Amino acid sequence: MLTTVKCELKSFEDLARSFAAKELAANREENDRYPFGPFFDSVVTKAHEVGLLSATLPEECGGIGQDVGALCIILDHISAVDASLSGIIFTNALSQEIMLAAGNKDLLAGIMGKAADAKAALIACPSFANPSETGTTLTAVKVKDNYIINGAIEYVVLGGISGHALVPARIKGQEGYSFFLIDPADKGLNRSEPVFSLGLHSCPAVDLNMAGVVGTLIGQEGEGARYFDHAADRMHSAVAAMQCGIMKGSFNEALDYSQQRFQGGKEIINWSGLRMLLGQMAVQVKIAEMVLSEAAMAVENQEPQWNLYSRAASVHLSELACKLTTDGIQCLGGNGYMKDYGQEKRFRDAKHVQAFLGLAPMRKLGMIKSIVNG
Amino acid sequence: MITPKENKSLLEREPRFDDSYCSMQAIPKIPKSQLKETRILVSYARRFNDEVIRPLALKTDLKSFQDPEYLPWDLIQKVNEWGFYTLFIPKIFGGQGWAFTSLNYVIEELASACVGIANVVFVHYLGFVTMLGSWNISVINKVCREVKEGERTGNPCLISLAITEPGAGTDVEEVELVDRGRVTCFAEKVKGGYIVNGNKIFISMGHVSTWHALVAYTDLKKPSENTLMLAVKNGMKGFSFGKHEDKMGQRACPASELIFQDCFVPDENVLVDSRTVPPSQLRETGELVNQIIHYVVEASRPAVGAFGTGVARGAYEQALKFAGETAVDGKLLINHEWAQIMLAEMYKNVIAGRLAYCEANFSNSLKGGIFSFLQIKPVYYYMKYVPQAVIDIFIVPFYKTKLFNWFMRQVFVEGQSLEAQKRCSGWASIAKFMGTDMGMKNSQMAIEMMGQAGLRHEQGCEKILRDSKLLQIYEGTNQLNRLNLFNCLIARCIPQARVFEEE
Ligand SMILES: Cc1cc2nc3c(=O)[nH]c(=O)nc-3n(C[C@H](O)[C@H](O)[C@H](O)COP(=O)(O)OP(=O)(O)OC[C@H]3O[C@@H](n4cnc5c(N)ncnc54)[C@H](O)[C@@H]3O)c2cc1C
């Protein structure tokens, strides 16, 4: 859908689709065993090599220089097969977007330039939290050119594998919060084992404990919320893209299965009860494609209220995806509940993705706040 | 005001009074001390939750990810020590004889702490009820006495139910579908017994049970009239365990493949053979098989509704706790009006699930329901107060007599009218899909409310979501249960209605 609106995105669609088919499909179940199985290092390396990790990063920073539309296309097609990699791409892109919103192109260019491998190029961040909602317990104190950070922060996504991490901290004596770039190898930093979670198993998060960790300020003091809100508004369309992909994956698997599975003497697709369920899913998928496409274009074209379109898309497609993926399991009966099929993973992943960028219900309240305040 | 004749005819209109207000009709007839029993059992369940389930639920789940072949022997041992495996087995079979009608309330309690472990406890009763559905008292007695012995000696002896096959899940739940299905579990009559071949899949607690209520067919072309239910024991030659499924949730409770290769099962282990059941005034052979299946689901589906209600409650309790402890936008979540409304909605979902399974329970207590005989006051008090030894001396010797089995059949087979079967089965389906849909709703809502915290394993909420989904699938998918409700209580309103006959 998005590629018919914007034809030049076709190459990204081809890239993401073939990458997903070649690199992700065969080992999906195995990769999902992380942290109780190995991490899919080689997949992340390849994703980095073909540019999936830097689609929206400007060319002068070493990225591909595309806008949100390309990112959405990529996430859509990757998520249809394995949303864990999408979680990595998303979190990294969110960190980049926050830094870009703060005008830190040079810093990004430096990170990309020096990165010897995929992991070194990754920037972790707590991509499920909106620090304005839940606050931050990290505090920063300025010491000469740098800041010293203390405290604990939960659920820093990619925090265990990335070359850098972006964290929100409150500068003592100030209102609001600021973002700081830290080195996960800093001696003052203690990190937990990967937090075992509902979905996106191979997009791991860790809890960090900091005692005197050195941080580089991103943008200006106290402006964290502004950068986050700007980046998050753009990235909500990326959340919608992930949900759209998950929905397509679940629908297609259900459609295939129901044409092969016999019950009551015929393929189950020929029972209209089941066909109605599939019909409902088909409607949801088509709506998702339309919504995603409109939202991504609104962001790219900076249309009036682009941020509301983007947020509405993520809220709505998250709700649809959570509904659709339970039906996706249901169509496969008992098999849908087993790890051998992708359906149970999609169900978990959709619910997991819904939690990106802060509490889902708060997003709706935030819409009204934006509309009323203009 | 109204003549008796008019009254009768008006109340027989849909919705029929007798099918609609089960609790109102059942409660006055229920022996008083049953309420006391339920209160004691619910508090016992709460203690079990505190001492066993809550400390072990997350640990067990994690263990099962670290080792996908993990089997819950440690848990089973504990459940056995606490006496849960004989709790609801009637005294006439050597059990503790607590009122079966209390089962679902206990289920809700346990499921609110961990529905996976609740299944480790209660799948056994699914097996037991299936055996009970055959009303073959001597075999049931033999198996149950072993369960009792297992409790005494500390070697747990559990019962599973094996009906689902690789090619037939929904089909084996419905007699109207089974003849069109791809069933393969074949039992061939030989001298002194049957030779069984075929596989069963997704059998809950298969690997850890000792006895299995196995459904097989003596003619694969017409299974509906050639259904055989066997009591199969571990160690029988030709019977083995296959794959142990890697499931999304309820990982404490294994789902197993059972493999039968030329497995000889002696005649004495036949629970019921549809070809040799005595003719019934009310039902043809296929309908008699249907009745057995429905007896089982009339008891088991409300139980799954109670599981779902428990899950809904567990999710609600997690969300409530979180809301009371977490600040959002500068104030506690619990003091955001939207969160209060969301919690009230979740509370209502729990109640809706509970009302449905309670009503199904009461339907089972009415005439023709599986509990009705046991609730006749003299029967109830006799079973409750007469010492075990007296029962063993004065009742047990009669189990093998024709008269006793004839009597049981009169009560349970002929004693259940077609209307009563429809009422009980219809209500069972309502309870099943209502409770389990509420479980799914609340577990989704809880995670939405908790955001990032809800995703973490150690918080317990994500596990509730994973566990919950299964409930909409087993004991007949929720779609099948809607169709069964239609079939039982709706189709009769419109004579042209046909179920499962779609071209
Ligand atoms: C973890 C687990 C534990 C289980 N435990 C046990 C157990 O202890 N013992 C046991 O015997 N079984 C057990 N089961 C099996 C369970 O009862 C079946 O999975 C269930 O009945 C569905 O059957 P199926 O999986 O074959 O799905 P299918 O029957 O293949 O159904 C697939 C889809 O088609 C739909 N469908 C099928 N037929 C129709 C129709 N006629 N009209 C409309 N829609 C239709 C279904 O609703 C479903 O959405 C268990 C299953 C699981 C997953």
Side-chain angles (χ1 to χ4, degrees):
Chain A
M1 179 86 193
L2 198 46
T3 45
T4 44
V5 180
K6 207 176 164 197
C7 309
E8 59 270 35
L9 294 178
K10 188 87 181 72
S11 58
F12 290 98
E13 181 177 68
D14 296 341
L15 169 72
R17 185 181 277 152
S18 74
F19 186 90
K22 245 189 7 232
E23 308 294 341
L24 291 171
N27 298 323
R28 178 179 51 212
E29 194 189 334
E30 195 48 41
N31 291 338
D32 193 54
R33 277 194 49 70
Y34 186 79
F36 305 109
F39 184 70
F40 61 174
D41 274 309
S42 64
V43 173
V44 177
T45 301
K46 282 186 192 138
H48 176 59
E49 281 164 10
V50 298
L52 294 179
L53 293 172
S54 53
T56 51
L57 195 64
E59 286 178 63
E60 63 260 42
C61 301
I64 298 187
Q66 285 292 317
D67 206 340
V68 159
L71 179 65
C72 288
I73 290 276
I74 290 169
L75 292 175
D76 180 3
H77 289 279
I78 297 286
S79 303
V81 178
D82 185 347
S84 285
L85 182 62
S86 294
I88 296 177
I89 297 174
F90 174 88
T91 298
N92 187 51
L94 176 66
S95 302
Q96 293 171 350
E97 288 282 334
I98 292 172
M99 291 174 70
L100 287 173
N104 275 125
K105 273 192 187 170
D106 295 350
L107 206 53
L108 277 168
I111 292 172
M112 293 300 282
K114 278 192 220 131
D117 58 16
K119 284 182 171 176
L122 288 176
I123 307 172
C125 72
S127 48
F128 289 92
N130 177 348
S132 300
E133 271 166 21
T134 39
T136 171
T137 49
L138 292 180
T139 56
V141 181
K142 188 159 186 190
V143 179
K144 292 191 189 141
D145 287 346
N146 278 321
Y147 291 79
I148 299 299
I149 304 176
N150 286 297
I153 181 165
E154 287 188 347
Y155 222 71
V156 178
V157 182
L158 308 182
I161 56 171
S162 63
H164 295 83
L166 197 60
V167 294
R170 208 168 49 77
I171 296 174
K172 279 209 170 137
Q174 285 187 7
E175 289 286 302
Y177 68 91
S178 318
F179 274 108
F180 296 90
L181 193 69
I182 59 166
D183 175 3
D186 192 298
K187 280 208 194 73
L189 193 139
N190 203 324
R191 67 170 174 241
S192 70
E193 290 294 307
V195 180
F196 186 46
S197 305
L198 172 62
L200 305 187
H201 282 172
S202 24
C203 171
V206 291
D207 298 335
L208 300 180
N209 239 310
M210 301 188 210
V213 169
V214 179
T216 308
L217 178 69
I218 296 301
Q220 290 174 350
E221 289 188 355
E223 293 292 314
R226 195 161 60 82
Y227 307 144
F228 178 86
D229 287 347
H230 181 77
D233 276 343
R234 284 168 60 76
M235 293 301 286
H236 274 128
S237 55
V239 171
M242 284 189 268
Q243 298 292 27
C244 184
I246 293 172
M247 289 165 76
K248 278 193 252 179
S250 180
F251 172 64
N252 290 334
E253 185 114 34
L255 191 65
D256 282 353
Y257 187 86
S258 56
Q259 286 168 287
Q260 286 156 25
R261 173 75 173 171
F262 269 74
Q263 285 301 285
K266 54 186 173 191
E267 296 89 347
I268 53 177
I269 194 170
N270 291 323
W271 289 105
S272 70
L274 192 98
R275 189 174 276 246
M276 185 58 85
L277 207 60
L278 287 167
Q280 186 61 39
M281 293 166 81
V283 169
Q284 289 164 338
V285 166
K286 286 299 157 209
I287 287 179
E289 287 180 5
M290 285 189 273
V291 166
L292 171 61
S293 165
E294 283 293 317
M297 284 303 107
V299 176
E300 282 207 356
N301 301 334
Q302 291 289 295
E303 284 163 23
Q305 301 201 329
W306 64 271
N307 55 347
L308 296 185
Y309 286 103
S310 175
R311 280 189 243 166
S314 92
V315 169
H316 185 57
L317 294 203
S318 285
E319 285 175 359
L320 283 190
C322 291
K323 276 203 198 101
L324 181 143
T325 50
T326 86
D327 291 342
I329 292 180
Q330 202 69 20
C331 288
L332 274 68
N335 277 332
Y337 197 67
M338 304 305 165
K339 300 258 171 201
D340 331 0
Y341 293 79
Q343 297 300 70
E344 65 85 33
K345 176 174 174 356
R346 294 188 176 101
F347 167 78
R348 288 184 286 110
D349 288 349
K351 199 74 205 159
H352 202 103
V353 168
Q354 186 179 36
F356 269 125
L357 301 172
L359 286 183
M362 292 301 283
R363 231 169 287 160
K364 289 189 195 165
L365 297 183
M367 296 271 295
I368 295 304
K369 195 170 168 189
S370 301
I371 291 169
V372 170
N373 297 348
Chain B
M1 190 170 74
I2 217 154
T3 66
K5 200 171 148 203
E6 215 184 347
N7 182 30
K8 184 166 182 289
S9 105
L10 286 168
L11 294 184
E12 273 176 4
R13 274 197 208 159
E14 298 291 346
R16 288 186 199 174
F17 189 93
D18 286 357
D19 291 348
S20 307
Y21 303 95
C22 303
S23 45
M24 210 197 295
Q25 298 169 78
I27 288 169
K29 294 185 193 149
I30 291 175
K32 273 222 176 67
S33 67
Q34 218 172 72
L35 173 63
K36 213 162 128 198
E37 278 193 59
T38 305
R39 293 174 87 100
I40 293 172
L41 286 170
V42 167
S43 70
Y44 191 61
R46 290 185 175 180
R47 204 169 90 203
F48 185 69
N49 280 349
D50 289 345
E51 292 180 26
V52 179
I53 299 196
R54 289 205 180 89
L56 287 176
L58 288 172
K59 276 190 204 153
T60 305
D61 189 57
L62 206 58
K63 227 188 283 179
S64 80
F65 281 103
Q66 285 155 349
D67 172 15
E69 292 306 319
Y70 163 81
L71 292 173
W73 291 114
D74 48 342
L75 279 170
I76 293 168
Q77 207 65 45
K78 282 248 158 56
V79 177
N80 201 41
E81 282 163 18
W82 279 67
F84 273 105
Y85 292 133
T86 60
L87 203 62
F88 294 105
I89 291 181
K91 276 191 190 168
I92 54 166
F93 303 133
Q96 297 177 52
W98 289 81
F100 215 86
T101 40
S102 304
L103 176 76
N104 290 344
Y105 308 102
V106 177
I107 284 183
E108 182 193 315
E109 287 304 321
L110 265 53
S112 74
C114 173
V115 69
I117 298 181
N119 266 288
V120 169
V121 180
F122 295 113
V123 162
H124 168 69
Y125 286 100
L126 177 66
F128 168 69
V129 166
T130 308
M131 291 198 175
L132 203 59
S134 71
W135 308 114
N136 184 333
I137 302 303
S138 66
V139 183
I140 301 169
N141 186 49
K142 179 167 88 178
V143 173
C144 289
R145 299 278 163 171
E146 286 192 23
V147 174
K148 180 70 197 167
E149 188 59 12
E151 185 173 286
R152 198 184 59 80
T153 58
N155 296 310
C157 173
L158 276 58
I159 314 170
S160 86
L161 161 63
I163 175 161
T164 305
E165 304 191 1
T170 299
D171 284 352
V172 291
E173 298 255 342
E174 263 309 321
V175 165
E176 282 168 66
L177 293 172
V178 72
D179 288 346
R180 296 176 243 167
R182 296 177 169 182
V183 294
T184 55
C185 195
F186 180 56
E188 187 188 358
K189 182 75 190 116
V190 292
K191 193 163 172 267
Y194 288 86
I195 299 277
V196 182
N197 278 290
N199 289 9
K200 294 284 171 182
I201 57 163
F202 301 159
I203 307 311
S204 297
M205 298 290 282
H207 277 87
V208 287
S209 295
T210 306
W211 282 94
H212 312 272
L214 170 71
V215 175
Y217 306 95
T218 46
D219 179 354
L220 297 179
K221 290 207 191 75
K222 191 96 180 125
S224 65
E225 290 177 8
N226 297 281
T227 303
L228 187 67
M229 203 199 290
L230 302 165
V232 176
K233 195 175 181 184
N234 288 355
M236 281 185 172
K237 204 159 162 257
F239 166 42
S240 61
F241 296 109
K243 188 175 169 195
H244 166 191
E245 295 287 348
D246 198 1
K247 313 202 293 311
M248 171 163 72
Q250 297 205 16
R251 294 176 64 93
C253 173
S256 315
E257 182 182 21
L258 271 53
I259 301 171
F260 301 90
Q261 285 170 318
D262 292 332
C263 173
F264 176 75
V265 183
D267 281 334
E268 66 195 47
N269 285 26
V270 174
L271 282 157
V272 68
D273 180 343
S274 65
R275 294 168 312 169
T276 58
V277 290
S280 151
Q281 313 242 305
L282 292 176
R283 294 171 175 88
E284 308 270 322
T285 310
E287 285 170 345
L288 279 170
V289 173
N290 204 19
Q291 188 190 16
I292 294 175
I293 293 179
H294 280 253
Y295 254 130
V296 175
V297 299
E298 281 156 26
S300 66
R301 286 178 179 166
V304 178
F307 278 126
T309 305
V311 166
R313 193 175 119 193
Y316 154 79
E317 285 167 0
Q318 290 270 347
L320 181 67
K321 181 164 171 281
F322 181 82
E325 291 170 347
T326 313
V328 171
D329 242 3
K331 63 178 177 207
L332 279 182
L333 194 52
I334 196 85
N335 291 327
H336 289 251
E337 194 186 60
W338 65 265
Q340 296 171 350
I341 290 173
M342 209 161 154
L343 285 162
E345 183 69 18
M346 293 172 82
Y347 191 90
K348 178 265 307 183
N349 289 343
V350 175
I351 302 286
R354 187 181 296 138
L355 288 176
Y357 82 69
C358 286
E359 203 60 12
N361 230 24
F362 289 124
S363 166
N364 284 336
S365 292
L366 293 175
K367 193 166 184 308
I370 195 166
F371 302 147
S372 59
F373 178 68
L374 296 172
Q375 288 192 323
I376 299 171
K377 281 179 187 148
V379 177
Y380 172 81
Y381 286 111
Y382 182 83
M383 302 273 273
K384 192 169 165 64
Y385 293 115
V386 173
Q388 182 75 54
V390 175
I391 290 177
D392 287 353
I393 294 167
F394 291 103
I395 299 185
V396 174
F398 292 98
Y399 286 174
K400 285 208 167 150
T401 63
K402 282 213 168 99
L403 185 71
F404 194 85
N405 279 282
W406 173 85
F407 174 73
M408 293 310 268
R409 282 185 51 80
Q410 281 308 307
V411 173
F412 288 103
V413 183
E414 297 294 289
Q416 187 188 49
S417 66
L418 289 169
E419 285 74 28
Q421 183 182 328
K422 293 205 150 137
R423 180 196 69 232
C424 292
S425 185
W427 267 106
S429 281
I430 297 173
K432 197 271 177 179
F433 70 76
M434 171 73 108
T436 59
D437 285 353
M438 293 304 120
M440 179 50 61
K441 266 211 177 113
N442 274 13
S443 37
Q444 297 255 20
M445 286 169 86
I447 293 207
E448 273 153 46
M449 200 163 194
M450 293 170 71
Q452 165 185 302
L455 306 177
R456 305 171 69 106
H457 182 267
E458 86 257 8
Q459 287 276 348
C461 201
E462 65 87 34
K463 174 178 163 303
I464 297 179
L465 179 75
R466 287 186 286 110
D467 289 353
S468 167
K469 181 62 207 170
L470 174 57
L471 304 174
Q472 295 181 312
I473 299 169
Y474 68 7
E475 284 303 301
T477 62
N478 280 10
Q479 295 94 308
L480 176 80
N481 274 285
R482 286 185 168 84
L483 289 169
N484 186 54
L485 166 62
F486 180 88
N487 209 358
C488 290
L489 296 176
I490 302 173
R492 67 189 183 196
C493 308
I494 308 287
Q496 307 88 299
R498 302 278 174 277
V499 183
F500 298 127
E501 288 182 20
E502 194 172 65
E503 284 309 314

